[in-house]
Amino acid sequence: MLFDLERVRKNVSTATTEDLLDRATAYRAGMEPDALDVIEEELQRRGVTTDEMAEHGRRRRLEINVLSDGTAARCSFCHRPAVAEQCGWHRLWGLVPIFPCLFRYCAEHQPERAEPDPQ
Ligand SMILES: [Zn+2]
């Protein structure tokens, strides 16, 4: 698949600042260097300083699980970095439990009962 810089630019211009900060920090290890340049340019255009970016990365590192490829584990329900994990059941048609699986949750999707991973 060809790396489409124009598509990246379009996507980056409509992304939220939080999303861009996550891509530049928590997901940095998995980003194309060219895409990273576009993201950092956009953050700069929006007035985000390198200090603010570093602070976002520092806060994320305290709460996320890092995968073996160096990127953050994603929420099972959106693109945000996961801050908690919990076992659940994969359900056929949303009803019949088939097999247990691990769900990951960002701060927004975290159920009240889920405890952050003790690390
Ligand atoms: Zn989420």
Side-chain angles (χ1 to χ4, degrees):
M1 201 172 75
L2 275 175
F3 179 67
D4 186 346
L5 205 55
E6 265 322 297
R7 237 186 80 220
V8 171
R9 281 209 175 90
K10 212 170 186 176
N11 173 283
V12 162
S13 68
T14 58
T16 64
T17 301
E18 186 202 17
D19 183 4
L20 296 178
L21 280 167
D22 282 339
R23 292 194 224 176
T25 57
Y27 299 128
R28 190 178 189 91
M31 299 295 303
E32 287 275 349
D34 287 346
L36 212 45
D37 286 346
V38 174
I39 289 164
E40 288 179 350
E41 271 168 33
E42 177 66 17
L43 283 170
Q44 209 169 27
R45 202 185 61 76
R46 294 185 190 188
V48 178
T49 65
T50 49
D51 281 353
E52 286 167 332
M53 203 160 79
E55 172 60 21
H56 183 87
R58 195 192 60 80
R59 259 188 298 120
R60 282 293 195 230
R61 271 196 303 278
L62 294 175
E63 58 187 20
I64 62 173
N65 291 329
V66 178
L67 301 174
S68 56
D69 68 358
T71 62
R74 274 175 206 260
C75 174
S76 301
F77 307 95
C78 72
H79 59 265
R80 292 191 189 89
V83 297
E85 292 180 346
Q86 191 174 312
C87 282
W89 286 90
H90 184 80
R91 291 172 186 269
L92 185 62
W93 307 307
L95 296 170
V96 188
I98 305 293
F99 56 84
C101 56
L102 185 69
F103 291 105
R104 292 189 168 111
Y105 305 94
C106 68
E108 195 144 310
H109 288 119
Q110 187 175 9
E112 304 230 335
R113 283 170 50 226
E115 295 291 333
D117 208 38
Q119 274 181 18

